[in-house]
């Protein structure tokens, strides 16, 4: 299978368009929130939490394969293509989303956006390998929602390990967690691929 055919089979052009749209909306929201004086230093927190969630969902959808049997019988190994796909989409998402939150990196700017995009994509990739690409967005949605509603806003400490999505950009523990989650999720997906699923139901 050629690179172009692979890109089409994984709907990569549509995924890239979805990432660009998410980045545009996120940039507008970040600017609007920052212009509201009542939000203060945490004005962009909703953006750096929710935008990576949307981006990882789009990436997760692209991990679905319509030809599981063909993939298993291919002459060439699939792991290099899976790895390139995941790394390129993660880098694209991080770059596009980070462009909308420039400035104030010590608060909720570029570092926090890049970190959260990495971690959310890692969780999504792991979920695609374990429960399938169609539902790969569920675990990171559940985690993000629970953390955003219950974790509080005090940075640092052990909270930074499990509540990485609401930590300021320079928080080291959150970065370590994001790196481990992304590495594990990427490794499992690259080795196993997305879990086989039945055909989509007809409507």
């Amino acid at each position: 299978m050629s690179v172009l055919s692979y890109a089409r089979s994984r709907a990569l052009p549509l995924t890239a368009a979805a990432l660009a749209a998410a980045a545009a909306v996120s940039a507008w929201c970040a600017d609007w929130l920052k212009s509201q004086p009542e939000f203060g230093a945490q004005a962009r927190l909703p953006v750096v939490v929710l935008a990576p969630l949307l981006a990882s969902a789009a990436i997760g959808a692209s991990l679905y394969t319509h030809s599981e049997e063909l993939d298993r019988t291919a002459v060439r190994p699939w792991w290099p293509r899976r790895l390139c796909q995941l790394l390129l989409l993660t880098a694209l998402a991080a770059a596009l989303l980070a462009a909308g939150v420039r400035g104030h990196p010590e608060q909720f700017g570029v570092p926090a956006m890049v970190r959260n995009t990495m971690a959310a994509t890692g969780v999504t990739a792991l979920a695609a390998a374990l429960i399938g690409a169609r539902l790969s967005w569920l675990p990171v949605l559940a985690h993000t929602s629970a953390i955003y509603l219950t974790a509080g806003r005090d940075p640092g400490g052990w909270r930074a390990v499990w509540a990485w999505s609401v930590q300021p950009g320079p928080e080291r523990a959150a970065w370590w967690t994001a790196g481990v989650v992304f590495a594990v999720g990427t490794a499992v997906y690259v080795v196993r691929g997305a879990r086989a699923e039945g055909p989509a139901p007809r409507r």
Side-chain angles (χ1 to χ4, degrees), residues 72-92:
R72 286 190 305 212
T73 58
V75 176
R76 296 181 179 179
W78 280 92
W79 72 264
R81 296 185 183 187
R82 292 179 188 140
L83 179 60
C84 288
Q85 174 187 349
L86 194 57
L87 292 181
L88 288 176
L89 288 178
T90 304
L92 176 63

Side-chain angles (χ1 to χ4, degrees), residues 28-120:
W28 182 86
C29 292
D31 288 340
W32 182 83
L33 289 170
K34 194 166 59 172
S35 67
Q36 308 302 309
E38 63 269 21
F39 291 110
Q42 295 183 339
R44 296 184 294 185
L45 177 60
V47 176
V48 300
V49 170
L50 298 178
L53 175 63
L54 296 176
S56 65
I59 294 174
S62 75
L63 305 182
Y64 177 76
T65 176
H66 298 274
S67 54
E68 182 67 23
E69 292 296 328
L70 291 177
D71 288 359
R72 286 190 305 212
T73 58
V75 176
R76 296 181 179 179
W78 280 92
W79 72 264
R81 296 185 183 187
R82 292 179 188 140
L83 179 60
C84 288
Q85 174 187 349
L86 194 57
L87 292 181
L88 288 176
L89 288 178
T90 304
L92 176 63
L96 290 175
L97 294 178
V101 289
R102 290 173 295 179
H104 304 290
E106 71 282 356
Q107 296 173 2
F108 296 99
V110 172
M113 184 68 86
V114 172
R115 180 199 66 215
N116 286 358
T117 302
M118 285 176 48

Side-chain angles (χ1 to χ4, degrees), residues 143 156-165 167 171-178 181:
H143 178 270
W158 284 104
R159 182 184 288 110
V161 175
W162 56 271
W164 44 264
S165 59
Q167 299 297 310
E171 186 60 48
R172 291 185 179 181
W175 268 100
W176 275 104
T177 302
V181 168

